[in-house]
């Protein structure tokens, strides 16, 4: 009897040993297991001008089944993984090459690579880091738009944001001489409203010299909402063909409000800032409603409603919105003669100092 008990204990211990070493595992307990020799890599400082950099991560299948990598996701299109998609047998080692493109990505970076595979963990993460030393900027980099006669400008479509009417506000855009001779610059504003003046900060620019064009706005109090215009430049008295366009949104001046007044000010909450009508028959009048709720403590006043399309009509059922009350904007868009993809914008100006102007974008696709 004693010998039988001893034998039974020996067999039990042997069985546990088999399980501990993986010998005798059932098919159900077998898995693939991906193990990398390291999971992060720091490139240190790299120069943008040197182009792509790469690092190779080595990994081993320490499981019992072939390892299958289903997909590799990256957090940025600047990061590219390369690897063999064939199943990796148990005990075998393979490589994954990660390439990073530093073009137009100056400064510190951290990119994450997500590996989806048949390891029980499902996803394994790799991380690459580094610091990109930017390439020296040229005139072409800082002033990408060519106007002619050697002149380049930082932007030809100036979106200058919200400006208080009744006050003088100056905005500027950079300009440079990329030519080989000194150029005399002049501005003309045949289409400018009376409240806008445009002048070059320097009347002459030497080769390689940089300066600014200044735009001065002083809109009267009756001017509200989105306003657009353009101005033209000449070089050595020769007109340049392409105008420079500008857009601003005029709101009331909240600069003198005290902190106490701001705390009890009206607050506008909009039901939506975008709507797509999807496919619509040509010529149909499209209708949509939007709501504005006053969540502040004083009356919310709609000062102005403007549109970018003269066939877009917007009406409000009230222009003074009491505390916790809601106004409804009804939009009617006449699409006669419109084809394909169309879009338009609505600008609502209120006395909310936190959000004095709100834009609502509309889109549709006209079909026959």
């Amino acid at each position: 009897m004693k010998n039988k008990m001893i034998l039974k204990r020996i067999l039990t211990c042997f069985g546990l040993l088999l399980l501990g070493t993986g010998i005798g595992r059932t098919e159900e307990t077998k898995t693939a297991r991906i193990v990398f020799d390291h999971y992060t890599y720091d490139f240190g400082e790299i120069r943008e001008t040197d182009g792509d950099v790469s690092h190779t991560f080595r990994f081993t299948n320490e499981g019992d089944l072939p390892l299958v990598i289903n997909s590799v996701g990256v957090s940025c299109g600047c990061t590219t993984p390369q690897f063999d998609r064939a199943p990796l047998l148990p005990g075998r080692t393979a490589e994954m090459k990660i390439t990073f493109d530093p073009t137009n990505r100056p400064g510190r970076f951290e990119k994450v690579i997500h590996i989806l595979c048949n390891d029980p963990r499902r996803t394994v993460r790799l991380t690459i880091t580094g610091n990109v030393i930017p390439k020296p900027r040229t005139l072409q980099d800082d002033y990408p738009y060519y106007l002619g006669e050697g002149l380049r400008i930082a932007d030809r479509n100036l979106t200058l944001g919200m400006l208080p009417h009744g006050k003088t506000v100056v905005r500027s855009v950079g300009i440079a001489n990329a030519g080989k001779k000194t150029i005399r610059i002049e501005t003309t504003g045949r289409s400018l409203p009376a409240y806008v003046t445009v002048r070059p900060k320097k009347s002459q620019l030497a080769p390689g010299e940089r300066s600014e064009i200044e735009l001065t706005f002083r809109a009267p109090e009756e001017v509200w909402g989105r306003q657009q215009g353009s101005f033209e430049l000449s070089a050595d008295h020769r007109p340049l063909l392409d105008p420079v366009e500008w857009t601003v949104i005029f709101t009331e001046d909240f600069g003198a409000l005290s902190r106490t007044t701001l705390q009890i000010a009206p607050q506008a909450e909009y039901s939506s800032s975008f709507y797509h009508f999807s496919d619509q028959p040509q010529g149909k009048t499209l209708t949509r409603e939007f709501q504005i709720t006053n969540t502040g403590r004083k009356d919310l006043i709609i000062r102005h409603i403007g549109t970018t399309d003269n066939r877009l009509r917007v009406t409000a059922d009230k222009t003074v919105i009491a505390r916790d009350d809601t106004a409804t904007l009804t939009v009617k868009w006449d699409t006669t003669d419109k084809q394909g993809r169309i879009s338009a914008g609505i600008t609502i100006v209120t006395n909310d100092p936190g959000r004095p102007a709100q834009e609502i974008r509309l889109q549709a696709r006209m079909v026959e």
Side-chain angles (χ1 to χ4, degrees):
M1 184 70 177
K2 186 176 180 179
N3 291 336
K4 287 183 178 180
M5 291 180 65
I6 293 172
L7 179 61
K8 184 176 181 180
R9 288 179 182 176
I10 292 173
L11 291 174
T12 300
C13 292
F14 184 66
L16 292 173
L17 180 62
L18 290 177
L19 289 174
T21 58
I23 301 173
R25 285 188 186 176
T26 63
E27 289 298 322
E28 288 77 8
T29 61
K30 290 183 177 181
T31 62
R33 183 170 178 80
I34 185 171
V35 177
F36 281 85
D37 55 357
H38 55 287
Y39 292 83
T40 63
Y41 183 76
D42 187 357
F43 285 100
E45 289 194 341
I46 59 177
R47 294 186 300 181
E48 182 182 355
T49 53
D50 290 341
D52 295 356
V53 292
S54 299
H55 177 71
T56 299
F57 292 88
R58 292 177 61 83
F59 61 93
T60 302
N61 180 6
E62 295 188 359
D64 310 295
L65 297 178
L67 173 69
V68 178
I69 296 178
N70 300 308
S71 64
V72 177
V74 293
S75 58
C76 173
C78 58
T79 308
T80 304
Q82 292 176 283
F83 61 98
D84 189 347
R85 295 183 177 273
L88 183 65
L89 297 177
R92 297 292 181 88
T93 298
E95 296 179 344
M96 181 174 293
K97 182 179 179 182
I98 305 298
T99 300
F100 172 73
D101 178 6
T103 305
N104 298 323
R105 294 179 178 87
R108 189 74 186 166
F109 68 88
E110 177 177 302
K111 305 300 176 184
V112 179
I113 300 95
H114 298 272
I115 301 164
L116 182 64
C117 60
N118 64 334
D119 184 302
R121 294 170 293 174
R122 297 291 295 166
T123 303
V124 177
R125 288 176 30 142
L126 302 176
T127 304
I128 59 172
T129 57
N131 184 51
V132 178
I133 301 173
K135 65 181 180 182
R137 296 188 66 83
T138 65
L139 282 180
Q140 287 73 18
D141 293 326
D142 292 334
Y143 305 87
Y145 300 97
Y146 185 68
L147 296 175
E149 302 294 331
L151 286 179
R152 304 187 71 92
I153 197 164
D155 197 351
R156 283 175 48 192
N157 293 280
L158 310 178
T159 302
L160 302 175
M162 291 181 284
L163 304 180
H165 60 193
K167 293 189 70 174
T168 300
V169 181
V170 179
R171 295 290 185 265
S172 62
V173 58
I175 192 168
N177 180 3
K180 297 181 178 180
K181 64 176 184 176
T182 298
I183 298 176
R184 180 175 179 82
I185 305 172
E186 295 176 316
T187 59
T188 60
R190 292 188 296 271
S191 57
L192 285 175
Y195 56 80
V196 183
T197 58
V198 181
R199 69 175 186 86
K201 203 167 183 178
K202 297 188 68 172
S203 60
Q204 289 192 147
L205 290 182
E209 189 174 5
R210 307 176 185 220
S211 186
E212 294 179 333
I213 303 293
E214 291 186 337
L215 296 86
T216 303
F217 297 87
R218 186 178 176 84
E221 292 189 354
E222 64 269 18
V223 177
W224 291 99
R226 176 184 289 271
Q227 304 293 328
Q228 295 175 297
S230 63
F231 61 90
E232 299 80 28
L233 295 172
S234 66
D236 293 335
H237 307 295
R238 290 187 290 272
L240 304 178
L241 296 179
D242 295 325
V244 179
E245 299 181 349
W246 55 265
T247 301
V248 299
I249 299 175
F250 287 111
T251 66
E252 65 183 273
D253 181 15
F254 299 104
L257 296 184
S258 67
R259 180 178 297 181
T260 301
T261 303
L262 291 173
Q263 289 175 343
I264 61 174
Q267 296 180 17
E269 294 293 335
Y270 295 82
S271 59
S272 177
S273 60
F274 175 79
Y275 186 74
H276 199 305
F277 288 95
S278 66
D279 290 355
Q280 298 290 336
Q282 290 179 351
K284 180 180 178 180
T285 297
L286 308 180
T287 303
R288 178 70 179 175
E289 290 185 347
F290 298 88
Q291 284 72 43
I292 308 175
T293 301
N294 179 11
T295 59
R297 296 166 63 182
K298 293 289 186 179
D299 286 352
L300 178 68
I301 303 172
I302 299 176
R303 302 291 195 192
H304 172 79
I305 300 175
T307 67
T308 60
D309 188 330
N310 58 13
R311 291 191 178 181
L312 185 61
R313 298 285 182 266
V314 184
T315 57
D317 63 350
K318 63 187 77 171
T319 57
V320 179
I321 310 169
R323 177 179 179 178
D324 297 326
D325 196 8
T326 299
T328 297
L329 300 181
T330 302
V331 177
K332 293 184 180 295
W333 196 5
D334 179 6
T335 64
T336 302
D337 299 328
K338 293 185 178 294
Q339 298 179 347
R341 298 181 185 276
I342 61 174
S343 63
I346 304 167
T347 302
I348 303 105
V349 179
T350 70
N351 64 332
D352 174 1
R355 191 194 303 182
Q358 173 69 39
E359 294 196 272
I360 298 175
R361 302 297 304 171
L362 303 175
Q363 290 184 1
R365 181 174 179 269
M366 313 313 297
V367 296
E368 296 180 0

